[in-house]
Amino acid sequence: MERVNVGIIGCGNISDIYLKNLTTLYDNVNVLAVSDMNPEAAREQAKKYGIKKACTDNEELLAMREIEIVLILTNPASHAELCKAALRAGKNVYTEKPLATNLSEADELIGIAKEKGLLVGCAPDTVLGAGVQTCKKLIADGWVGTPIGVRFQNIAVGPEVWHPNPAPFYSAGAGPVLDIGPYYVTCMVYLLGAVKRVASLGRTSRNQVLVTSAPHFGESVSPEVHTYVSGLLEFESGVIGSGTLSWDGNSAADAGVEIVGTEGTIVVPNPDCFGGKTDAIKYKRTEKRELNGYDPEWAQLPVLFSHSGNCRGLGVAEMAAGLRMGRRSRLNGEMARHVLEILLALANPDKNFVEIQSRFVPMPAMDFSTLPGMLR
């Protein structure tokens, strides 16, 4: 399979893991060029990862005829505009989450891609990893029976304690729902299908957030978003979902997604990760009778597939395989748009249910036999 040439826009904090993996793990892609609003950052990353071209600006990268997929790794507010520019330049596009910050932008992107016959893909690609893929097989094989409910939770301190530039995470269009939420919502809709309606409550607990990470240690950020949000989701299948996303503190409960069914319960490994050895799947069968007073322990199930480390970039490799095989990406624009509509409903609290208008065609489990190997 001929490698697909990739150009990357955005050489910030997240670019390191993408560049590392796309230049060493996946043998169906070739990173041809990088660009950044700071040309020096592009030059440094090109030198560090052996990239052929460090462009002086995005326009130069988009003008390169050899590039087939443009990967967007910039701040969320710029995703839609850069995706539009790439599509109009005739490039397939894959962006970090979210696809856009509003639905009209997302619809415009999907419309342009459809008109030009191009692919749109969107992170997170953690759902393609070993953890979620194993859970997808367990559900398909009947381990939970008929799914009844799903719980999701991520309550933790925010990016002010670890990210070098946490301020954008607290600006409009970000916050825990739009930053962490995509991992959880994408996981749930990938495993359980479309969501029908959403209701939520939220609050902003602090007027000022103290930054304790370098280089902005001691500075303050004024949140423009809700920092604690709890929501209810009704899936089209009848499954009921509930959960909380917050940057206001810590929880004793593990961050994750728990699916309850008529035959058993599965705890999906943290969907922010790909599902490694330290992030086991938990399973407990629903007993139909008392077993002499014995309460079976939760079982720890191993993951069944590859791609269990930090495999960021797997979504780009999967899109590249789809491009060569003439099919859509599993992380396609329609699913990303549906996820965005759910996230926006959660991020704008309304105790009354908000009807979700979009739907998407569920994508199958990964077929690792058609995806080129991990190592060159």
Side-chain angles (χ1 to χ4, degrees), residues 310-328:
N310 189 345
C311 302
R312 204 79 60 180
L314 177 57
V316 181
E318 195 278 334
M319 170 182 267
L323 188 62
R324 288 288 181 262
M325 297 169 68
R327 61 163 175 79
R328 293 190 306 160

Side-chain angles (χ1 to χ4, degrees), residues 125-127 129-132 183 269-276 279 308-310 312:
D125 54 3
T126 49
V127 297
V132 174
Y183 297 102
N270 187 342
D272 194 2
C273 306
F274 287 81
D279 205 11
S308 61
N310 189 345
R312 204 79 60 180

Side-chain angles (χ1 to χ4, degrees), residues 100-175:
T101 56
N102 63 67
L103 296 180
S104 61
E105 287 180 336
D107 289 338
E108 186 178 6
L109 292 180
I110 293 170
I112 295 171
K114 186 175 181 179
E115 177 187 336
K116 291 182 171 289
L118 297 168
L119 300 179
V120 173
C122 184
D125 54 3
T126 49
V127 297
L128 303 181
V132 174
Q133 289 300 310
T134 300
C135 290
K136 192 171 182 69
K137 175 173 172 55
L138 292 171
I139 293 169
D141 289 350
W143 284 55
V144 301
T146 301
I148 299 169
V150 59
R151 175 196 61 81
F152 62 97
Q153 175 172 288
N154 188 306
I155 301 175
V157 292
E160 69 274 12
V161 303
W162 62 271
H163 198 278
N165 184 28
F169 288 86
Y170 285 96
S171 61

Side-chain angles (χ1 to χ4, degrees), residues 234-255:
E234 182 183 359
F235 287 75
E236 203 165 35
S237 63
V239 171
I240 296 173
S242 63
T244 298
L245 301 167
S246 173
W247 284 339
D248 285 332
N250 293 301
S251 171
D254 292 338

